[in-house]
Amino acid sequence: MDTEPEPKTPAEMKEIRLNRKIAQETEGIKAMADIAAADIAIRKRTESLRAERLAREAEALSNPPEPKAKPAKKKKVT
């Protein structure tokens, strides 16, 4: 038995190439949309983290920690 595929006509080859091109363009559009959505999510997260950090820094400036008392130095006995 010969299982070799039949040669395609030029019209069939053109249609196959066109369908492949359309599929690639569709995949590209989906990929770009995914990238844009991820970028937006990263920017939102960065913005909220920045706001939290600035709030912590403002809190630290308004309520500075009390300085720790240094222990008294021991005198050397000679």
Side-chain angles (χ1 to χ4, degrees):
M1 283 198 139
D2 221 29
T3 58
E4 201 170 297
E6 295 181 23
K8 306 258 190 250
T9 65
E12 290 173 327
M13 293 300 294
K14 184 176 182 179
E15 185 177 347
I16 289 170
R17 284 193 298 272
L18 180 63
N19 289 339
R20 187 179 302 138
K21 182 178 179 183
I22 291 170
Q24 288 173 341
E25 288 174 355
T26 304
E27 287 294 318
I29 291 169
K30 287 179 185 176
M32 292 301 290
D34 290 345
I35 290 169
D39 186 47
I40 290 170
I42 289 170
R43 288 177 191 270
K44 284 182 179 180
R45 178 155 170 77
T46 301
E47 186 177 328
S48 67
L49 290 173
R50 181 179 293 126
E52 289 176 20
R53 178 180 51 85
L54 292 174
R56 273 195 316 270
E57 289 175 357
E59 177 73 24
L61 286 176
S62 64
N63 298 326
E66 295 189 20
K68 295 181 181 178
K70 293 183 180 179
K73 291 185 180 181
K74 296 181 181 178
K75 293 183 181 180
K76 289 186 178 180
V77 178
T78 51

